[in-house]
Amino acid sequence: MKHYEVEILDAKTREKLCFLDKVEPQATIAEIKNLFTKTHPQWYPARQSLRLDPKGRSLKDEDILQSLPVGTTATFYFRDLGAQISWVTVFLTEYAGPLLIYLLFYFRVPFLYGPRYDFTASRHAVVHLACACHSFHYIKRLLETLFVHRFSHGTMPLRNIFKNCTYYWGFAAWMAYYINHPLYTPPAYGDEQVKLALAVFLFCQLGNFSIHVALRNLRPAGSKTRKIPYPTRNPFTWLFLLVSCPNYTYEVGSWIGFTIMTQCLPVALFSLVGFVQMAIWAQGKHRSYLREFRDYPPLRSPIVPFLL
Amino acid sequence: MAAAAPPSTAPGKPRPSLPPCAESGRRPRERRNMAAAAGGGSRADNGYGGQQPRRRKGPGALATAYLVVYNVVMTAGWLVIAVGLVRAYLAKGSYHSLYYSIEKPLKFFQTGALLEILHCAFGIVPSSVVLTAFQVMSRVFLTWAVTHSVKEVQTEDSVLLFVVAWTITEIIRYSFYTFSLLNHLPYLIKWARYTLFIILYPMGVSGELLTIYAALPFVRQSGLYSISLPNKYNFSFDYYTFLILVMISYIPLFPQLYFHMLRQRRKVLSHTEEHKKSE
C-alpha cells in the first residue's frame, strides 16, 4: 500500500510545524488531526483548522486523504481556532442562567427589591403566568439541547460562552426585574390581552418544537448530513413552505407573545434584538442552502414569509 | 520532534532538515502601514490622533471630490470655532464661559461629523462603521446630551478644556484628510496628528469627565431624561446612574485607545523617517 506523507504548515507564517510520514491513504482528516496533536498537545483536534490553501475553507473531519487533490506528499495549512468549548456546554449554561435568574426575581429574593418586598408574591395573575411561560420556555430549551438537537460542530470558541451568557443572563435579569417588580403595571387591555398573548406564545412554542423535531429527523444519529427540510404531516412544519428557518420565525413569535402578555418594554427590546440576530442567522442559513442545493424551493424566504 | 508515528507501522524516521515543531519562530510579516491612505482616513482614536491605515482601492473620483469638500468644510468649521474662542477671550479678558460664543458652530460641526458614519457605511472611507459610529456618537453625546441639556454646566471651565482639545484635534485631523486625499501631505501635519494627541487626548478626556461629573447633581435634582416606575410600559431609566456608568467606561476605554495611538505613532513616524533617510 502506498503511503502518503503529510506536512503541516502554519497558515500565517508558512512555518513547518509537523511532518508525518507513512500516513495511510484512507486516513481521515480527523485522524491526521489526532496525529498532529501528538506533537503539539496544546492544539487538540477541536481547535485545529486544516486547509489545503492558507486562505481557503477548512477541511472536514470526514474527508479522506486520498480523495483530496493532493500528491503523495500532502501539504496542509494549520490555523489555531483558539480554545474551544462544546456547544452542549454552552447551550446548557446560557439557558440555565435565565431560568434561575428569573426565578430569583419572581420569588423576590433579598437585595433585588426593597426589604419590605422580600419573599412577597405579586398580586397580579399575569405575573405568575409570565413566570410559568418564561420557565417553560427555558426548560424546553434545556431538554431540547439534551435530547433533540443534533449539532454539526462539536465545539465553538471559548470566548463565546462569556458573550452568550452575558447576553442571555443580562437580558433575563433586566426583564425579570420589571415583570416581578412590586410596582408592575399589568396589561392595558387586561385578561383579553393576556389570553391572546398566551395563545400566540403556546402556538409558537409548539411550532418551534415541531421544527426542532423535524430537523432532528432529517439527520441520522452521529451523522453530519445536510438535507433540505420539507413540511411533514405536522401542520406546524408547513411553515417550511414559506420560510427556510421556521424555528426562528416561531421563536420571534413566542417572544412577541411574551411581550404582549407582560406589556414590558425591556421584553420588547429583547425580542427586537433577538429578531435581528436570528434574521442574520436565517439569511446565512438560507444562502448556504441555496449554494448547496440546486433544487432549493424558490418560494422560501429566510425568516419572514415573503419579506425577509 | 519532527515526525509522528502513523498508526500501523514502526516509528517513522525523522526528517533531518525540519525545524523544531514547538517553536513559533518568525513573527508574521509586518504590514506596511501607510499613513496617508488614499481613502481619506480612519478613526481608531476618537479623533485625537492615530490612524488605522489600510491598503485598499480608494474611492472613485466623485467620492474623492465630495470627501475633499467635506474635509475642507469641516476644517473651516473648526477654524471658525477656534477663532471664535480667541476673539471671545480677547473681548472678555477671561477664559470663563466662552462656550456661549461658539455654541452654535460647535453643535453644527460636531453633529455634522455623523456623516462620517455614512462614509464608512458606503465604503468611501476605509474605516470600521462600528468604531466610527462609537466615536462620533460619544462626541455628539457630550455635545447634546450633557453640555446642551444641562444648562448649568455650560459655565464650567471643564467645557473649555474639551472644546479646545476637540478644536485643535479636528483642525489637524480634517486638514490631514484633505491633504491625504490630494496626495500632498506635509510632514508637519502628519507629525502634528500623530504627536499632539499625546497632550490633547488626556486633556479632552479630562474635560469630558469633569463636565459629566459637574452635570450629575443637576440631573439628579431635575430627573432629566429619567423615567420611573410605575408606568404602563414597565420600564425605568435613571440618567444619573447612566452618566456614572459612562464615566466608568472611560477607565477601560481610554488606556486602550491611547496606547493604540502611541503604537500607531511609532509605526507611522518611524516609517516616514526610513523613507526620508532613503532619499
Side-chain angles (χ1 to χ4, degrees):
Chain A
M1 175 166 42
K2 190 178 61 178
H3 280 129
Y4 279 69
E5 297 177 331
V6 172
E7 59 171 8
I8 300 180
L9 312 183
D10 184 297
K12 276 186 277 204
T13 65
R14 310 301 163 95
E15 186 187 336
K16 282 204 183 90
L17 296 170
C18 205
F19 184 83
L20 309 168
D21 61 359
K22 302 235 176 112
V23 183
E24 313 218 352
Q26 275 90 31
T28 58
I29 294 294
E31 287 164 8
I32 291 172
K33 284 184 179 175
N34 281 325
L35 291 174
F36 187 38
T37 303
K38 292 214 178 84
T39 56
H40 291 80
Q42 76 275 21
W43 288 328
Y44 43 86
R47 71 190 276 181
Q48 293 177 34
S49 162
L50 295 179
R51 331 138 161 222
L52 291 171
D53 177 89
K55 298 205 177 93
R57 237 185 5 92
S58 277
L59 295 168
K60 301 198 194 117
D61 281 0
E62 311 79 61
D63 289 341
I64 296 174
L65 185 55
Q66 73 179 6
S67 65
L68 294 173
V70 292
T72 46
T73 301
T75 302
F76 293 139
Y77 292 93
F78 162 76
R79 263 189 90 92
D80 181 12
L81 297 171
Q84 299 285 301
I85 185 168
S86 85
W87 274 63
V88 174
T89 309
V90 174
F91 272 37
L92 291 178
T93 319
E94 67 190 17
Y95 297 156
L99 181 61
L100 294 170
I101 290 170
Y102 192 102
L103 290 172
L104 292 177
F105 286 91
Y106 176 74
F107 289 113
R108 293 188 184 156
V109 146
F111 299 105
L112 295 175
Y113 304 110
R116 67 184 166 116
Y117 298 114
D118 289 352
F119 298 117
T120 55
S122 170
R123 56 191 167 82
H124 304 293
V126 67
V127 170
H128 306 298
L129 181 62
C131 181
C133 290
H134 188 271
S135 306
F136 171 79
H137 178 78
Y138 281 101
I139 292 172
K140 168 180 159 293
R141 286 214 201 183
L142 285 165
L143 293 174
E144 283 171 343
T145 303
L146 290 169
F147 301 116
V148 177
H149 293 319
R150 293 213 165 108
F151 295 98
S152 306
H153 308 281
T155 66
M156 64 167 87
L158 182 62
R159 84 188 83 88
N160 279 15
I161 195 173
F162 301 108
K163 241 184 346 142
N164 293 10
C165 285
T166 305
Y167 171 79
Y168 277 103
W169 296 14
F171 261 115
W174 196 41
M175 294 191 290
Y177 173 77
Y178 289 108
I179 299 170
N180 298 294
H181 200 283
L183 297 177
Y184 171 75
T185 309
Y189 296 101
D191 280 353
E192 303 225 323
Q193 184 171 339
V194 174
K195 280 194 200 123
L196 170 70
L198 181 62
V200 169
F201 178 80
L202 288 174
F203 182 87
C204 292
Q205 291 288 283
L206 273 170
N208 178 265
F209 179 69
S210 306
I211 302 300
H212 286 159
V213 168
L215 289 172
R216 170 201 175 78
N217 292 336
L218 274 188
R219 169 181 279 179
S223 88
K224 290 186 188 175
T225 49
R226 294 150 63 82
K227 302 208 294 237
I228 303 177
Y230 283 107
T232 68
R233 295 237 286 265
N234 180 340
F236 286 108
T237 65
W238 297 351
L239 195 48
F240 270 121
L241 291 168
L242 298 177
V243 154
S244 289
C245 301
N247 50 318
Y248 294 146
T249 317
Y250 283 121
E251 181 70 19
V252 178
S254 299
W255 286 106
I256 291 175
F258 193 67
T259 307
I260 297 170
M261 189 191 295
T262 55
Q263 198 170 293
C264 177
L265 185 59
V267 179
L269 291 172
F270 177 65
S271 309
L272 182 64
V273 175
F275 172 64
V276 169
Q277 177 64 86
M278 285 188 279
I280 293 171
W281 288 337
Q283 304 253 358
K285 188 106 195 108
H286 183 77
R287 251 177 252 138
S288 65
Y289 277 142
L290 288 174
R291 260 191 311 234
E292 194 166 341
F293 303 110
R294 296 267 146 239
D295 54 339
Y296 195 72
L299 186 60
R300 295 189 192 182
S301 342
I303 185 174
V304 178
F306 308 116
L307 293 178
L308 195 62
Chain B
M1 42 159 181
S8 58
T9 62
K13 49 187 193 310
R15 277 283 177 125
S17 55
L18 193 65
C21 274
E23 227 176 271
S24 49
R26 264 183 296 131
R27 248 184 274 122
R29 240 170 279 124
E30 280 201 36
R31 272 201 324 175
R32 280 292 170 208
N33 282 307
M34 305 302 292
S42 50
R43 309 178 58 161
D45 56 4
N46 208 27
Y48 285 115
Q51 182 187 13
Q52 206 146 234
R54 260 177 253 198
R55 283 257 185 107
R56 272 241 232 153
K57 257 190 347 193
L62 183 61
T64 308
Y66 160 75
L67 284 172
V68 169
V69 170
Y70 174 80
N71 285 304
V72 165
V73 167
M74 292 305 255
T75 310
W78 286 94
L79 278 166
V80 163
I81 295 170
V83 166
L85 283 171
V86 170
R87 291 181 61 174
Y89 169 69
L90 293 173
K92 279 185 164 202
S94 93
Y95 58 81
H96 301 296
S97 302
L98 297 181
Y99 170 76
Y100 300 102
S101 54
I102 45 83
E103 180 179 6
K104 289 212 169 54
L106 176 69
K107 285 175 175 171
F108 182 80
F109 289 100
Q110 186 57 81
T111 312
L114 286 169
L115 285 173
E116 288 167 45
I117 303 175
L118 294 178
H119 298 167
C120 297
F122 288 124
I124 58 178
V125 168
S127 281
S128 143
V129 179
V130 172
L131 213 50
T132 306
F134 180 76
Q135 290 156 1
V136 174
M137 292 307 299
S138 77
R139 286 283 191 91
V140 167
F141 176 78
L142 241 308
T143 307
W144 289 100
V146 181
T147 314
H148 166 79
S149 301
V150 186
K151 308 234 174 306
E152 295 87 343
V153 307
Q154 290 167 4
T155 51
E156 291 282 327
D157 290 343
S158 55
V159 173
L160 181 65
L161 203 57
F162 75 73
V163 169
V164 168
W166 290 5
T167 305
I168 301 175
T169 304
E170 299 300 66
I171 293 172
I172 296 170
R173 184 170 73 91
Y174 287 115
S175 44
F176 176 93
Y177 292 158
T178 309
F179 286 117
S180 303
L181 285 164
L182 300 171
N183 281 317
H184 208 79
L185 180 66
Y187 181 74
L188 180 63
I189 305 278
K190 175 152 73 177
W191 179 88
R193 192 193 175 187
Y194 283 95
T195 306
L196 296 184
F197 79 85
I198 295 176
I199 304 293
L200 293 175
Y201 194 13
M203 185 173 148
V205 165
S206 305
E208 293 169 28
L209 283 173
L210 286 168
T211 307
I212 299 175
Y213 184 72
L216 287 176
F218 303 105
V219 168
R220 175 46 99 228
Q221 191 191 335
S222 67
L224 182 68
Y225 300 146
S226 302
I227 179 170
S228 61
L229 293 176
N231 60 71
K232 66 175 168 165
Y233 296 114
N234 291 305
F235 176 69
S236 66
F237 181 71
D238 183 25
Y239 193 47
Y240 180 87
T241 310
F242 180 74
L243 286 176
I244 292 183
L245 291 174
V246 167
M247 290 177 71
I248 293 176
S249 74
Y250 275 71
I251 298 176
L253 293 175
F254 168 69
Q256 282 188 44
L257 287 169
Y258 195 64
F259 288 119
H260 168 78
M261 292 189 302
L262 283 171
R263 278 190 305 255
Q264 287 297 107
R265 176 172 195 265
R266 232 168 285 140
K267 273 191 212 156
V268 168
L269 293 185
S270 69
H271 172 76
T272 315
E273 282 303 306
E274 282 169 31
H275 223 58
K276 287 169 92 175
K277 275 194 212 132
S278 67
E279 277 165 13

